[in-house]
Amino acid sequence: MDYSPRLFGRVRFDLHDVRALGHATGTTVNDVMLAVVSDAVHTYLAERDETPAGSLAAQVPISLSGRPDLVSENKTSDLRVDLHTDRTDPLTRLRLIPESAAREKDRVGRPESIVVEAALDAMPAVCLRHSIRRAVRKVTASTGDHVGPTNTSLSNVPRGTVDDLRFGDSPAVDGFSAPLPQPAAGSDARGGDAR
């Protein structure tokens, strides 16, 4: 079985520059970073002539800890923010992303969404796994109010300091995380077709 190479890169941005761009465009730091990822995904796919017809989305965690009405034990939820990768102009994407994020924040705040979160808390792992697989197989593009499946995730959850962290006998200098690469929908963990 021949596997494609997995590549990992890391980019740092000066927060002052990100804030300045947000101020100039009337957007937030989160909006700017979503737009940066949107542009990277759009550019990557366009260079390989693999741009999908529909837009791609990002999974973004959101804290619900300020909600006293929650019946769910889990005090976080996930936004599925449309990245508008079907648009070619980066500034157009930056203007549209805050609207998409606002729609998603509204969605997760609705009573029916809260009930679903509570149900997921009580669902046995085997059932949850089956439900997620089923949802992944239903590939749909982002259109209007409907957001398609996510293909990337972003989080601004602070990781804290590395002052007391060690890697073996050495002090930690910095830390970052990367999601585990997943096989494509319809394939098993070894890269073959699911049967």
Side-chain angles (χ1 to χ4, degrees):
M1 184 74 41
D2 191 22
Y3 291 97
S4 298
R6 302 272 185 200
L7 302 176
F8 178 79
R10 185 176 181 189
V11 178
R12 285 181 178 259
F13 296 94
D14 186 318
L15 186 57
H16 176 76
D17 294 340
V18 175
R19 285 183 174 148
L21 178 57
H23 181 72
T25 57
T27 58
T28 66
V29 167
N30 289 349
D31 298 331
V32 171
M33 295 314 299
L34 283 163
V36 166
V37 170
S38 172
D39 193 58
V41 169
H42 175 84
T43 302
Y44 177 86
L45 293 172
E47 286 174 353
R48 287 152 181 80
D49 199 26
E50 295 179 5
T51 305
S55 180
L56 300 174
Q59 178 183 3
V60 181
I62 183 171
S63 172
L64 301 176
S65 59
R67 296 285 305 269
D69 58 327
L70 283 184
V71 292
S72 173
E73 293 297 321
N74 189 0
K75 301 302 182 192
T76 63
S77 188
D78 286 320
L79 305 178
R80 291 176 296 151
V81 180
D82 189 343
L83 293 176
H84 301 281
T85 55
D86 55 339
R87 305 296 182 106
T88 55
D89 179 44
L91 285 176
T92 299
R93 289 196 297 268
L94 178 55
R95 282 193 294 273
L96 292 172
I97 283 171
E99 296 171 16
S100 299
R103 275 194 305 274
E104 275 295 283
K105 288 175 185 174
D106 179 59
R107 180 188 65 81
V108 300
R110 293 181 194 148
E112 60 270 25
S113 294
I114 292 168
V115 169
V116 170
E117 292 284 343
L120 291 175
D121 281 349
M123 186 179 288
V126 67
C127 296
L128 187 59
R129 181 178 179 187
H130 176 71
S131 297
I132 291 170
R133 280 189 173 175
R134 241 181 113 185
V136 167
R137 288 186 181 130
K138 293 173 69 176
V139 178
T140 54
S142 300
T143 55
D145 288 343
H146 174 76
V147 181
T150 60
N151 68 326
T152 189
S153 61
L154 282 87
S155 175
N156 64 356
V157 176
R159 67 173 188 268
T161 66
V162 295
D163 295 341
D164 297 326
L165 297 179
R166 300 189 70 74
F167 186 74
D169 293 333
S170 302
V173 180
D174 200 354
F176 59 90
S177 63
L180 179 67
Q182 299 292 323
S187 66
D188 66 17
R190 295 177 303 277
D193 291 338
R195 305 247 186 253

